[in-house]
Amino acid sequence: SDQLPLTQQGDLTFYSSIALVQRQSILFTMEMLTLSKRFWELFEWGKGNMKQTENIIVQARIQTNYLELPQYFHLFLLCFRVLNPHESPLNAIELVESDWLHDLHYQQQSIINSKIQSEIHNNHHQSLTFASFHKSLFVLADHWTSSIELHDYIAFLQSIYKKITVINNSGD
């Protein structure tokens, strides 16, 4: 069929001045921040505990409050697999790597633009803060929802969360 892949489709009405402000306002809601925190806590930061997602151990360090590449890749590859179950693993890795580099660049630009010399810039330039991680989840929801309604963003991310945190023993 001649239909464009979902990743190349878009609705121009989502890019009007009003729609852009509406979309951006969703980013800073308490509901979105709370949900991002639930994803962040999948790593059981600093407790020495680990949660299991699809029989793979996920762990990271919160002593520094940063998300590093292996944890990011694991989480977003799981998300990709839920959203694109028939895509090739190589394509998934390429897209997640591209997103990682974009998120790092966005974070570094934010630091440069605010003229803040921080620990991130000095010691953790290859790690994401919670704020950058939150923005990444928002962008994921923003790309995959077909409305500019907070409840749709929340429902989308909750659905992803449930699917990546439930161990499927049936082999699917």
Side-chain angles (χ1 to χ4, degrees):
S1 83
D2 295 332
Q3 188 175 8
L4 286 173
L6 187 60
T7 57
Q8 295 177 6
Q9 297 177 24
D11 183 343
L12 293 179
T13 61
F14 281 29
Y15 295 92
S16 71
S17 298
I18 292 170
L20 288 171
V21 169
Q22 288 175 315
R23 288 168 53 209
Q24 194 63 26
S25 69
I26 291 171
L27 174 64
F28 301 107
T29 62
M30 187 55 67
E31 294 89 346
M32 284 295 293
L33 286 165
T34 300
L35 193 49
S36 289
K37 188 171 188 262
R38 283 185 68 201
F39 275 89
W40 186 259
E41 289 172 348
L42 284 174
F43 302 107
E44 286 291 299
W45 305 104
K47 297 178 184 174
N49 298 329
M50 294 171 269
K51 285 192 178 179
Q52 199 168 358
T53 58
E54 295 197 5
N55 296 324
I56 299 171
I57 301 296
V58 180
Q59 63 181 346
R61 300 184 308 259
I62 192 128
Q63 292 85 358
T64 54
N65 289 322
Y66 301 103
L67 183 66
E68 295 178 350
L69 178 65
Q71 293 77 32
Y72 180 97
F73 254 76
H74 182 75
L75 176 64
F76 283 96
L77 283 173
L78 288 173
C79 292
F80 185 92
R81 194 167 131 202
V82 166
L83 295 168
N84 300 289
H86 303 295
E87 283 286 336
S88 75
L90 182 58
N91 189 32
I93 291 168
E94 289 173 357
L95 288 171
V96 172
E97 181 179 31
S98 174
D99 288 346
W100 168 257
L101 294 172
H102 175 270
D103 294 344
L104 281 177
H105 177 75
Y106 170 81
Q107 176 175 271
Q108 290 168 351
Q109 285 304 118
S110 297
I111 292 166
I112 291 167
N113 291 340
S114 63
K115 297 181 182 177
I116 296 173
Q117 283 295 328
S118 72
E119 186 179 343
I120 301 164
H121 186 64
N122 295 329
N123 300 319
H124 295 279
H125 63 279
Q126 294 297 313
S127 303
L128 292 181
T129 62
F130 174 77
S132 295
F133 174 74
H134 172 66
K135 175 79 174 183
S136 297
L137 285 177
F138 167 78
V139 169
L140 179 68
D142 192 51
H143 286 171
W144 283 87
T145 54
S146 58
S147 79
I148 307 175
E149 299 293 331
L150 174 62
H151 63 88
D152 289 331
Y153 283 63
I154 297 298
F156 171 80
L157 288 174
Q158 286 175 333
S159 172
I160 295 294
Y161 184 88
K162 286 179 183 177
K163 289 174 182 173
I164 67 171
T165 58
V166 174
I167 298 171
N168 184 349
N169 292 323
S170 68
D172 292 339

